[in-house]
Amino acid sequence: MCGICCVVSLSVQHTAEDFFKKDLLCNLSRRGPNRSQQLTRTVSDLSYQCLFSGHVLHLRGSMTPQPVTDINNNVFLWNGEVFSGIHVEAVENDTQVIFHHLSSCSSESDILSLFSSVRGPWSFIYYLASTHSLWFGRDYFGRRSLLWQFNNELDKAFCLSSVSALSESDNQWQEVPASGIYKIDLKACAISKSLVLTLYPWKYRFKENEIEETFFNGLDQISKDLPACVSLRMNDSKLSLITPVVPLNRTVSENSVDSHCTNITNGIVTVEDLHGFLADEHKKKLVHHLIDVLSEAIKRRVLYLVRDTGQLSGKILSKPIRKAHVAVLFSGGIDSMLIAALADRHIPSEEPIDLLNVAFMIKEQNKQTKQKKQLELHSCEECFKKLDTTPVVNVSCFNVPDRITGRAGLKELETINPSRTWNFVEINVTLEELKRMRQQRISHLVYPLDTVLDDSIGCAVWFASRGEGFITNQGDLKPYTSSAKVVLTGIGADEQLAGYSRHRVCFKKYGLAGLNEELGMELGRISSRNLGRDDRIIGDHGKEARFPFLDEDVVSFLNSLPVSEKADLTLPRGIGEKLLLRLAAKELGLTASTVLPKRAMQFGSRIAKMENNNEKATDKCSRLQSVSVD
Ligand SMILES: *[C@@H]1O[C@H](CO)[C@@H](O)[C@H](O)[C@H]1NC(C)=O
Ligand SMILES: *[C@@H]1O[C@H](CO)[C@@H](O)[C@H](O)[C@H]1NC(C)=O
Ligand SMILES: *[C@@H]1O[C@H](CO)[C@@H](O)[C@H](O)[C@H]1NC(C)=O
Ligand SMILES: *[C@@H]1O[C@H](CO)[C@@H](O)[C@H](O)[C@H]1NC(C)=O
Ligand SMILES: *[C@@H]1O[C@H](CO)[C@@H](O)[C@H](O)[C@H]1NC(C)=O
Ligand SMILES: *[C@@H]1O[C@H](CO)[C@@H](O)[C@H](O)[C@H]1NC(C)=O
Ligand SMILES: CC(=O)N[C@H]1CO[C@H](CO)[C@@H](O)[C@@H]1O
């Protein structure tokens, strides 16, 4: 994870530095605490100047300060991870390797095929001196943030950056759409005094040499959000990138609805209900294929980091304790359980795994609702008893649903691997702290997104990934701060395996074909809805978000299956949604967690209950707007 930024001035009166705000620098350096560096390129006969700012979080290989340059005056900023696709030796650095490949590209299509072959998350900025062009963009899913800002009034200046800062006076920042990669011809810009962006969009390759011919139709969509002085076009020769995943299989088979589960009565789902499905050889094969690709994806994400085995965080009863290098955003739900269980396969056995579990204090209740809350907890306890686990239910204000399922999930993981140290980190957030940190930091990171949902999830993920809380040690709660630099999150599972309740609504109304449309659309917009935001939020702690469900091989496998293999929404909640994932979890030896219904983070952590006054998730969030400093 790194912070990258480039400011371009096309004005004779102003240097690029004049446009480079101090708070921007400050916010960038939090993403890359290990090394910050600036570099300027001035081309005075064409009157443009570029300032490149690179901030490095060191995770793998040798420390490589950014920006990197070469003898041809090219400049490269890289915020990414090459997990595969391009060969990187253990002693090499991916920033250097990609830059080296770029430097030896002799045409635009060479550059495009390079970025088409990288597997892993990335955003980058590349200045190619010989053609005076600036290239930049985000990977196919948009797993790394990149924002742009075009300066209208001072004309002739623009900026690209991993993060920005909310302020009242400035021009708007926007997320760079993850529709492809972009090129700006700075020489042409400086001469014509107008800004033209060339977009090279992603296209599917169906067979060898057979590239999707359909015209990319996102151009208008992107253009309409740009200021009038900026125009967007595509290359005349229709150059494009090749998507790293196969297209979604939209096959709707006639009799895909079989009823293994007719015995589910009164809506109570138990883990036994999953048995029937696994008796089917075909299903079982798919389940094992999913486990294999997901396990590989997690392996890449937990092994590619520096593991200094000498690092100890202290001693307990003369037994050395090792530092955790990997943490999981952990609700105890199916997605985070599966990630934790598979991470356990690959992380060295003596190394702890941090399970980050966030809870927001429920507002002081009046008596009536307090009773209701206790009832709610009580019935939850009942349902757990039915599922044969005994949660430690303590009626405390932080005992939110995710805390309860989190504790139960911990027990299951301890059963799967009793010798592993599982650090269940209880992160309790009070209203006061929430307000303070939102104002100081979180609102700037969520920006330019602005809804109530962005606020809830942004805040919940920020506190969870900070990793400051308490762990239980020999019966006592003691303060604990997670040292893990890699944070695994389950995002992408619901979008691909029909986990959200809106998918049930969609299925009821429009059937499987409609559900296909919905899922395809949701994966297409995950960059702008979630990933840029989550990357900015988690990166703010000098940590790196990694998303196993959005590994290219995992997505390709899931995309290749008809939707009826992934979910069966004729079945009740807790089993029908993400069915294939539940079966995988069952095969891994998980128990009650395999049949927990989906619960969105904002409700599970109770942040949505904390302040809101019957807002809709899609409303603009007034709490994010204020920039006043008191
Ligand atoms: C990078 O910075 C982090 C956070 O400040 C620190 O824990 C780590 O030791 C640094 N790594 C190197 C190689 O300097
Ligand atoms: C390359 O170096 C950067 C900065 O030190 C670091 O963040 C990144 O993890 C390294 N990558 C590899 C593959 O070594
Ligand atoms: C389009 O691509 C071709 C082939 O690489 C290149 O020669 C040409 O300059 C590009 N056109 C524009 C407008 O960028
Ligand atoms: C429940 O909470 C009380 C304080 O609110 C605490 O004293 C007690 O130890 C807790 N019990 C468990 C089992 O966590
Ligand atoms: C955090 O909340 C839990 C309830 O989930 C409670 O048991 C624990 O005591 C709280 N910790 C602190 C330090 O308040
Ligand atoms: C889509 O799924 C059907 C049914 O399983 C299968 O026959 C077909 O080969 C799949 N198509 C692709 C492109 O994977
Ligand atoms: C750490 C830091 O510098 N944060 C800043 C990010 O930007 C906002 C907006 O200017 C500042 O208020 C923060 O202090």
Side-chain angles (χ1 to χ4, degrees), residues 433-462:
E433 194 181 13
L434 170 66
K435 284 186 162 156
R436 195 171 67 241
M437 295 323 290
R438 175 194 285 123
Q439 163 95 29
Q440 262 179 41
R441 304 225 49 83
I442 305 168
S443 60
H444 302 291
L445 302 164
V446 170
Y447 178 81
L449 305 195
D450 59 4
T451 66
V452 167
L453 189 64
D454 292 320
D455 173 58
S456 300
I457 302 208
C459 291
V461 172
W462 192 86

PDB file of all heavy atoms in Angstrom, residues 433-462:
ATOM      1  N   GLU A 433     -16.084   9.103  20.630  1.00  0.00           N
ATOM      2  CA  GLU A 433     -14.902   8.844  19.811  1.00  0.00           C
ATOM      3  C   GLU A 433     -15.252   8.784  18.330  1.00  0.00           C
ATOM      4  O   GLU A 433     -14.504   9.264  17.474  1.00  0.00           O
ATOM      5  CB  GLU A 433     -14.220   7.535  20.242  1.00  0.00           C
ATOM      6  CG  GLU A 433     -12.832   7.460  19.639  1.00  0.00           C
ATOM      7  CD  GLU A 433     -12.063   6.198  19.975  1.00  0.00           C
ATOM      8  OE1 GLU A 433     -12.672   5.247  20.488  1.00  0.00           O
ATOM      9  OE2 GLU A 433     -10.849   6.187  19.695  1.00  0.00           O
ATOM     10  N   LEU A 434     -16.403   8.210  18.058  1.00  0.00           N
ATOM     11  CA  LEU A 434     -16.861   8.145  16.671  1.00  0.00           C
ATOM     12  C   LEU A 434     -16.938   9.548  16.085  1.00  0.00           C
ATOM     13  O   LEU A 434     -16.429   9.818  15.001  1.00  0.00           O
ATOM     14  CB  LEU A 434     -18.238   7.471  16.607  1.00  0.00           C
ATOM     15  CG  LEU A 434     -18.953   7.556  15.253  1.00  0.00           C
ATOM     16  CD1 LEU A 434     -18.214   6.778  14.186  1.00  0.00           C
ATOM     17  CD2 LEU A 434     -20.386   7.039  15.370  1.00  0.00           C
ATOM     18  N   LYS A 435     -17.544  10.459  16.833  1.00  0.00           N
ATOM     19  CA  LYS A 435     -17.720  11.828  16.332  1.00  0.00           C
ATOM     20  C   LYS A 435     -16.381  12.506  16.114  1.00  0.00           C
ATOM     21  O   LYS A 435     -16.170  13.188  15.126  1.00  0.00           O
ATOM     22  CB  LYS A 435     -18.563  12.645  17.317  1.00  0.00           C
ATOM     23  CG  LYS A 435     -20.032  12.298  17.245  1.00  0.00           C
ATOM     24  CD  LYS A 435     -20.847  13.227  18.115  1.00  0.00           C
ATOM     25  CE  LYS A 435     -22.306  13.183  17.718  1.00  0.00           C
ATOM     26  NZ  LYS A 435     -23.177  13.600  18.829  1.00  0.00           N
ATOM     27  N   ARG A 436     -15.486  12.297  17.065  1.00  0.00           N
ATOM     28  CA  ARG A 436     -14.184  12.949  16.986  1.00  0.00           C
ATOM     29  C   ARG A 436     -13.389  12.451  15.777  1.00  0.00           C
ATOM     30  O   ARG A 436     -12.874  13.238  14.986  1.00  0.00           O
ATOM     31  CB  ARG A 436     -13.403  12.685  18.278  1.00  0.00           C
ATOM     32  CG  ARG A 436     -12.198  13.610  18.431  1.00  0.00           C
ATOM     33  CD  ARG A 436     -11.554  13.500  19.792  1.00  0.00           C
ATOM     34  NE  ARG A 436     -10.932  12.205  19.984  1.00  0.00           N
ATOM     35  CZ  ARG A 436     -11.274  11.339  20.928  1.00  0.00           C
ATOM     36  NH1 ARG A 436     -12.228  11.625  21.787  1.00  0.00           N
ATOM     37  NH2 ARG A 436     -10.652  10.183  21.029  1.00  0.00           N
ATOM     38  N   MET A 437     -13.323  11.152  15.614  1.00  0.00           N
ATOM     39  CA  MET A 437     -12.493  10.609  14.538  1.00  0.00           C
ATOM     40  C   MET A 437     -13.124  10.809  13.162  1.00  0.00           C
ATOM     41  O   MET A 437     -12.427  10.931  12.166  1.00  0.00           O
ATOM     42  CB  MET A 437     -12.190   9.126  14.781  1.00  0.00           C
ATOM     43  CG  MET A 437     -11.351   8.850  16.020  1.00  0.00           C
ATOM     44  SD  MET A 437     -10.071  10.072  16.361  1.00  0.00           S
ATOM     45  CE  MET A 437      -8.918   9.751  15.040  1.00  0.00           C
ATOM     46  N   ARG A 438     -14.447  10.849  13.134  1.00  0.00           N
ATOM     47  CA  ARG A 438     -15.094  11.111  11.846  1.00  0.00           C
ATOM     48  C   ARG A 438     -14.677  12.495  11.355  1.00  0.00           C
ATOM     49  O   ARG A 438     -14.287  12.677  10.202  1.00  0.00           O
ATOM     50  CB  ARG A 438     -16.605  11.038  11.984  1.00  0.00           C
ATOM     51  CG  ARG A 438     -17.301  11.438  10.684  1.00  0.00           C
ATOM     52  CD  ARG A 438     -18.764  11.695  10.856  1.00  0.00           C
ATOM     53  NE  ARG A 438     -19.542  10.478  10.998  1.00  0.00           N
ATOM     54  CZ  ARG A 438     -20.323  10.208  12.023  1.00  0.00           C
ATOM     55  NH1 ARG A 438     -20.411  11.055  13.034  1.00  0.00           N
ATOM     56  NH2 ARG A 438     -21.029   9.103  12.055  1.00  0.00           N
ATOM     57  N   GLN A 439     -14.752  13.459  12.288  1.00  0.00           N
ATOM     58  CA  GLN A 439     -14.424  14.840  11.937  1.00  0.00           C
ATOM     59  C   GLN A 439     -12.945  14.982  11.547  1.00  0.00           C
ATOM     60  O   GLN A 439     -12.605  15.590  10.545  1.00  0.00           O
ATOM     61  CB  GLN A 439     -14.738  15.704  13.162  1.00  0.00           C
ATOM     62  CG  GLN A 439     -14.120  17.068  13.167  1.00  0.00           C
ATOM     63  CD  GLN A 439     -15.089  18.092  12.629  1.00  0.00           C
ATOM     64  OE1 GLN A 439     -16.294  17.932  12.751  1.00  0.00           O
ATOM     65  NE2 GLN A 439     -14.571  19.150  12.038  1.00  0.00           N
ATOM     66  N   GLN A 440     -12.085  14.372  12.377  1.00  0.00           N
ATOM     67  CA  GLN A 440     -10.645  14.512  12.141  1.00  0.00           C
ATOM     68  C   GLN A 440     -10.155  13.779  10.903  1.00  0.00           C
ATOM     69  O   GLN A 440      -9.334  14.292  10.166  1.00  0.00           O
ATOM     70  CB  GLN A 440      -9.877  13.937  13.337  1.00  0.00           C
ATOM     71  CG  GLN A 440      -9.414  14.953  14.331  1.00  0.00           C
ATOM     72  CD  GLN A 440      -8.688  14.244  15.464  1.00  0.00           C
ATOM     73  OE1 GLN A 440      -7.915  13.311  15.263  1.00  0.00           O
ATOM     74  NE2 GLN A 440      -8.954  14.680  16.679  1.00  0.00           N
ATOM     75  N   ARG A 441     -10.639  12.585  10.712  1.00  0.00           N
ATOM     76  CA  ARG A 441     -10.027  11.757   9.675  1.00  0.00           C
ATOM     77  C   ARG A 441     -11.006  11.128   8.684  1.00  0.00           C
ATOM     78  O   ARG A 441     -10.808  11.183   7.485  1.00  0.00           O
ATOM     79  CB  ARG A 441      -9.231  10.594  10.307  1.00  0.00           C
ATOM     80  CG  ARG A 441      -8.160  11.010  11.297  1.00  0.00           C
ATOM     81  CD  ARG A 441      -6.892  10.236  11.032  1.00  0.00           C
ATOM     82  NE  ARG A 441      -6.572  10.288   9.630  1.00  0.00           N
ATOM     83  CZ  ARG A 441      -5.923  11.289   9.065  1.00  0.00           C
ATOM     84  NH1 ARG A 441      -5.509  12.300   9.778  1.00  0.00           N
ATOM     85  NH2 ARG A 441      -5.691  11.262   7.771  1.00  0.00           N
ATOM     86  N   ILE A 442     -12.017  10.472   9.243  1.00  0.00           N
ATOM     87  CA  ILE A 442     -12.777   9.545   8.401  1.00  0.00           C
ATOM     88  C   ILE A 442     -13.522  10.268   7.278  1.00  0.00           C
ATOM     89  O   ILE A 442     -13.536   9.805   6.143  1.00  0.00           O
ATOM     90  CB  ILE A 442     -13.725   8.676   9.253  1.00  0.00           C
ATOM     91  CG1 ILE A 442     -12.908   7.963  10.333  1.00  0.00           C
ATOM     92  CG2 ILE A 442     -14.466   7.667   8.395  1.00  0.00           C
ATOM     93  CD1 ILE A 442     -13.712   7.298  11.415  1.00  0.00           C
ATOM     94  N   SER A 443     -14.074  11.455   7.577  1.00  0.00           N
ATOM     95  CA  SER A 443     -14.827  12.160   6.535  1.00  0.00           C
ATOM     96  C   SER A 443     -13.941  12.487   5.340  1.00  0.00           C
ATOM     97  O   SER A 443     -14.386  12.452   4.200  1.00  0.00           O
ATOM     98  CB  SER A 443     -15.465  13.429   7.105  1.00  0.00           C
ATOM     99  OG  SER A 443     -14.463  14.288   7.593  1.00  0.00           O
ATOM    100  N   HIS A 444     -12.655  12.765   5.606  1.00  0.00           N
ATOM    101  CA  HIS A 444     -11.727  13.085   4.506  1.00  0.00           C
ATOM    102  C   HIS A 444     -11.404  11.860   3.650  1.00  0.00           C
ATOM    103  O   HIS A 444     -11.056  11.984   2.487  1.00  0.00           O
ATOM    104  CB  HIS A 444     -10.424  13.656   5.061  1.00  0.00           C
ATOM    105  CG  HIS A 444     -10.643  14.881   5.886  1.00  0.00           C
ATOM    106  ND1 HIS A 444     -11.058  16.080   5.341  1.00  0.00           N
ATOM    107  CD2 HIS A 444     -10.564  15.086   7.218  1.00  0.00           C
ATOM    108  CE1 HIS A 444     -11.183  16.970   6.304  1.00  0.00           C
ATOM    109  NE2 HIS A 444     -10.898  16.394   7.453  1.00  0.00           N
ATOM    110  N   LEU A 445     -11.480  10.706   4.298  1.00  0.00           N
ATOM    111  CA  LEU A 445     -11.129   9.472   3.588  1.00  0.00           C
ATOM    112  C   LEU A 445     -12.309   8.947   2.778  1.00  0.00           C
ATOM    113  O   LEU A 445     -12.153   8.402   1.698  1.00  0.00           O
ATOM    114  CB  LEU A 445     -10.670   8.414   4.589  1.00  0.00           C
ATOM    115  CG  LEU A 445      -9.472   8.819   5.451  1.00  0.00           C
ATOM    116  CD1 LEU A 445      -9.339   7.890   6.649  1.00  0.00           C
ATOM    117  CD2 LEU A 445      -8.200   8.820   4.631  1.00  0.00           C
ATOM    118  N   VAL A 446     -13.502   9.096   3.360  1.00  0.00           N
ATOM    119  CA  VAL A 446     -14.708   8.649   2.655  1.00  0.00           C
ATOM    120  C   VAL A 446     -14.901   9.518   1.397  1.00  0.00           C
ATOM    121  O   VAL A 446     -15.253   9.023   0.336  1.00  0.00           O
ATOM    122  CB  VAL A 446     -15.946   8.746   3.571  1.00  0.00           C
ATOM    123  CG1 VAL A 446     -17.228   8.524   2.790  1.00  0.00           C
ATOM    124  CG2 VAL A 446     -15.840   7.729   4.703  1.00  0.00           C
ATOM    125  N   TYR A 447     -14.635  10.809   1.550  1.00  0.00           N
ATOM    126  CA  TYR A 447     -14.749  11.750   0.438  1.00  0.00           C
ATOM    127  C   TYR A 447     -13.989  11.252  -0.787  1.00  0.00           C
ATOM    128  O   TYR A 447     -12.893  10.730  -0.641  1.00  0.00           O
ATOM    129  CB  TYR A 447     -14.191  13.105   0.889  1.00  0.00           C
ATOM    130  CG  TYR A 447     -14.190  14.169  -0.178  1.00  0.00           C
ATOM    131  CD1 TYR A 447     -15.353  14.877  -0.461  1.00  0.00           C
ATOM    132  CD2 TYR A 447     -13.039  14.443  -0.915  1.00  0.00           C
ATOM    133  CE1 TYR A 447     -15.359  15.843  -1.459  1.00  0.00           C
ATOM    134  CE2 TYR A 447     -13.044  15.409  -1.907  1.00  0.00           C
ATOM    135  CZ  TYR A 447     -14.197  16.103  -2.179  1.00  0.00           C
ATOM    136  OH  TYR A 447     -14.216  17.046  -3.165  1.00  0.00           O
ATOM    137  N   PRO A 448     -14.479  11.333  -2.009  1.00  0.00           N
ATOM    138  CA  PRO A 448     -15.677  12.077  -2.403  1.00  0.00           C
ATOM    139  C   PRO A 448     -17.002  11.313  -2.308  1.00  0.00           C
ATOM    140  O   PRO A 448     -18.009  11.823  -2.782  1.00  0.00           O
ATOM    141  CB  PRO A 448     -15.369  12.413  -3.870  1.00  0.00           C
ATOM    142  CG  PRO A 448     -14.444  11.348  -4.335  1.00  0.00           C
ATOM    143  CD  PRO A 448     -13.678  10.886  -3.148  1.00  0.00           C
ATOM    144  N   LEU A 449     -17.031  10.135  -1.724  1.00  0.00           N
ATOM    145  CA  LEU A 449     -18.328   9.490  -1.506  1.00  0.00           C
ATOM    146  C   LEU A 449     -19.015  10.192  -0.337  1.00  0.00           C
ATOM    147  O   LEU A 449     -18.352  10.810   0.495  1.00  0.00           O
ATOM    148  CB  LEU A 449     -18.156   7.988  -1.230  1.00  0.00           C
ATOM    149  CG  LEU A 449     -17.389   7.184  -2.285  1.00  0.00           C
ATOM    150  CD1 LEU A 449     -17.613   5.691  -2.077  1.00  0.00           C
ATOM    151  CD2 LEU A 449     -17.761   7.569  -3.703  1.00  0.00           C
ATOM    152  N   ASP A 450     -20.339  10.080  -0.254  1.00  0.00           N
ATOM    153  CA  ASP A 450     -21.013  10.974   0.690  1.00  0.00           C
ATOM    154  C   ASP A 450     -22.334  10.482   1.267  1.00  0.00           C
ATOM    155  O   ASP A 450     -23.077  11.250   1.861  1.00  0.00           O
ATOM    156  CB  ASP A 450     -21.248  12.332   0.014  1.00  0.00           C
ATOM    157  CG  ASP A 450     -22.102  12.204  -1.244  1.00  0.00           C
ATOM    158  OD1 ASP A 450     -22.569  11.085  -1.543  1.00  0.00           O
ATOM    159  OD2 ASP A 450     -22.299  13.219  -1.923  1.00  0.00           O
ATOM    160  N   THR A 451     -22.674   9.199   1.106  1.00  0.00           N
ATOM    161  CA  THR A 451     -23.988   8.776   1.601  1.00  0.00           C
ATOM    162  C   THR A 451     -23.929   8.295   3.054  1.00  0.00           C
ATOM    163  O   THR A 451     -22.854   8.102   3.621  1.00  0.00           O
ATOM    164  CB  THR A 451     -24.558   7.615   0.765  1.00  0.00           C
ATOM    165  OG1 THR A 451     -23.719   6.475   0.968  1.00  0.00           O
ATOM    166  CG2 THR A 451     -24.600   7.955  -0.722  1.00  0.00           C
ATOM    167  N   VAL A 452     -25.104   8.092   3.615  1.00  0.00           N
ATOM    168  CA  VAL A 452     -25.229   7.550   4.967  1.00  0.00           C
ATOM    169  C   VAL A 452     -24.537   6.181   5.049  1.00  0.00           C
ATOM    170  O   VAL A 452     -23.837   5.875   6.001  1.00  0.00           O
ATOM    171  CB  VAL A 452     -26.726   7.420   5.339  1.00  0.00           C
ATOM    172  CG1 VAL A 452     -26.923   6.572   6.579  1.00  0.00           C
ATOM    173  CG2 VAL A 452     -27.330   8.808   5.531  1.00  0.00           C
ATOM    174  N   LEU A 453     -24.704   5.385   4.001  1.00  0.00           N
ATOM    175  CA  LEU A 453     -24.072   4.065   3.981  1.00  0.00           C
ATOM    176  C   LEU A 453     -22.541   4.180   3.932  1.00  0.00           C
ATOM    177  O   LEU A 453     -21.828   3.459   4.628  1.00  0.00           O
ATOM    178  CB  LEU A 453     -24.576   3.271   2.772  1.00  0.00           C
ATOM    179  CG  LEU A 453     -24.158   1.800   2.747  1.00  0.00           C
ATOM    180  CD1 LEU A 453     -24.766   1.049   3.916  1.00  0.00           C
ATOM    181  CD2 LEU A 453     -24.558   1.145   1.432  1.00  0.00           C
ATOM    182  N   ASP A 454     -22.031   5.116   3.128  1.00  0.00           N
ATOM    183  CA  ASP A 454     -20.578   5.328   3.077  1.00  0.00           C
ATOM    184  C   ASP A 454     -20.055   5.723   4.445  1.00  0.00           C
ATOM    185  O   ASP A 454     -18.976   5.300   4.865  1.00  0.00           O
ATOM    186  CB  ASP A 454     -20.227   6.432   2.069  1.00  0.00           C
ATOM    187  CG  ASP A 454     -20.515   6.017   0.634  1.00  0.00           C
ATOM    188  OD1 ASP A 454     -20.247   4.861   0.293  1.00  0.00           O
ATOM    189  OD2 ASP A 454     -21.022   6.859  -0.127  1.00  0.00           O
ATOM    190  N   ASP A 455     -20.833   6.564   5.131  1.00  0.00           N
ATOM    191  CA  ASP A 455     -20.425   7.003   6.466  1.00  0.00           C
ATOM    192  C   ASP A 455     -20.382   5.815   7.425  1.00  0.00           C
ATOM    193  O   ASP A 455     -19.382   5.591   8.104  1.00  0.00           O
ATOM    194  CB  ASP A 455     -21.404   8.067   6.976  1.00  0.00           C
ATOM    195  CG  ASP A 455     -21.142   8.438   8.423  1.00  0.00           C
ATOM    196  OD1 ASP A 455     -20.006   8.870   8.721  1.00  0.00           O
ATOM    197  OD2 ASP A 455     -22.051   8.287   9.263  1.00  0.00           O
ATOM    198  N   SER A 456     -21.462   5.025   7.458  1.00  0.00           N
ATOM    199  CA  SER A 456     -21.527   3.896   8.404  1.00  0.00           C
ATOM    200  C   SER A 456     -20.399   2.910   8.140  1.00  0.00           C
ATOM    201  O   SER A 456     -19.670   2.511   9.050  1.00  0.00           O
ATOM    202  CB  SER A 456     -22.837   3.126   8.256  1.00  0.00           C
ATOM    203  OG  SER A 456     -23.919   3.961   8.513  1.00  0.00           O
ATOM    204  N   ILE A 457     -20.263   2.504   6.893  1.00  0.00           N
ATOM    205  CA  ILE A 457     -19.257   1.481   6.585  1.00  0.00           C
ATOM    206  C   ILE A 457     -17.867   2.064   6.731  1.00  0.00           C
ATOM    207  O   ILE A 457     -16.969   1.430   7.286  1.00  0.00           O
ATOM    208  CB  ILE A 457     -19.490   0.897   5.177  1.00  0.00           C
ATOM    209  CG1 ILE A 457     -20.898   0.321   5.155  1.00  0.00           C
ATOM    210  CG2 ILE A 457     -18.434  -0.143   4.846  1.00  0.00           C
ATOM    211  CD1 ILE A 457     -21.147  -0.795   4.242  1.00  0.00           C
ATOM    212  N   GLY A 458     -17.676   3.294   6.257  1.00  0.00           N
ATOM    213  CA  GLY A 458     -16.373   3.931   6.385  1.00  0.00           C
ATOM    214  C   GLY A 458     -15.927   3.972   7.840  1.00  0.00           C
ATOM    215  O   GLY A 458     -14.797   3.599   8.162  1.00  0.00           O
ATOM    216  N   CYS A 459     -16.810   4.402   8.723  1.00  0.00           N
ATOM    217  CA  CYS A 459     -16.442   4.508  10.140  1.00  0.00           C
ATOM    218  C   CYS A 459     -16.191   3.119  10.732  1.00  0.00           C
ATOM    219  O   CYS A 459     -15.209   2.906  11.449  1.00  0.00           O
ATOM    220  CB  CYS A 459     -17.532   5.221  10.935  1.00  0.00           C
ATOM    221  SG  CYS A 459     -17.676   6.976  10.511  1.00  0.00           S
ATOM    222  N   ALA A 460     -17.075   2.172  10.436  1.00  0.00           N
ATOM    223  CA  ALA A 460     -16.915   0.828  11.009  1.00  0.00           C
ATOM    224  C   ALA A 460     -15.591   0.210  10.547  1.00  0.00           C
ATOM    225  O   ALA A 460     -14.838  -0.346  11.355  1.00  0.00           O
ATOM    226  CB  ALA A 460     -18.097  -0.058  10.615  1.00  0.00           C
ATOM    227  N   VAL A 461     -15.277   0.352   9.265  1.00  0.00           N
ATOM    228  CA  VAL A 461     -14.041  -0.245   8.744  1.00  0.00           C
ATOM    229  C   VAL A 461     -12.813   0.488   9.288  1.00  0.00           C
ATOM    230  O   VAL A 461     -11.791  -0.127   9.582  1.00  0.00           O
ATOM    231  CB  VAL A 461     -14.050  -0.273   7.190  1.00  0.00           C
ATOM    232  CG1 VAL A 461     -12.702  -0.700   6.639  1.00  0.00           C
ATOM    233  CG2 VAL A 461     -15.137  -1.211   6.672  1.00  0.00           C
ATOM    234  N   TRP A 462     -12.917   1.806   9.457  1.00  0.00           N
ATOM    235  CA  TRP A 462     -11.770   2.561   9.985  1.00  0.00           C
ATOM    236  C   TRP A 462     -11.414   2.087  11.397  1.00  0.00           C
ATOM    237  O   TRP A 462     -10.255   1.786  11.689  1.00  0.00           O
ATOM    238  CB  TRP A 462     -12.066   4.067   9.978  1.00  0.00           C
ATOM    239  CG  TRP A 462     -10.844   4.915  10.227  1.00  0.00           C
ATOM    240  CD1 TRP A 462      -9.950   5.352   9.295  1.00  0.00           C
ATOM    241  CD2 TRP A 462     -10.371   5.413  11.491  1.00  0.00           C
ATOM    242  NE1 TRP A 462      -8.947   6.085   9.894  1.00  0.00           N
ATOM    243  CE2 TRP A 462      -9.180   6.140  11.238  1.00  0.00           C
ATOM    244  CE3 TRP A 462     -10.830   5.308  12.807  1.00  0.00           C
ATOM    245  CZ2 TRP A 462      -8.454   6.777  12.255  1.00  0.00           C
ATOM    246  CZ3 TRP A 462     -10.103   5.934  13.824  1.00  0.00           C
ATOM    247  CH2 TRP A 462      -8.931   6.656  13.539  1.00  0.00           C
TER     248      TRP A 462
END
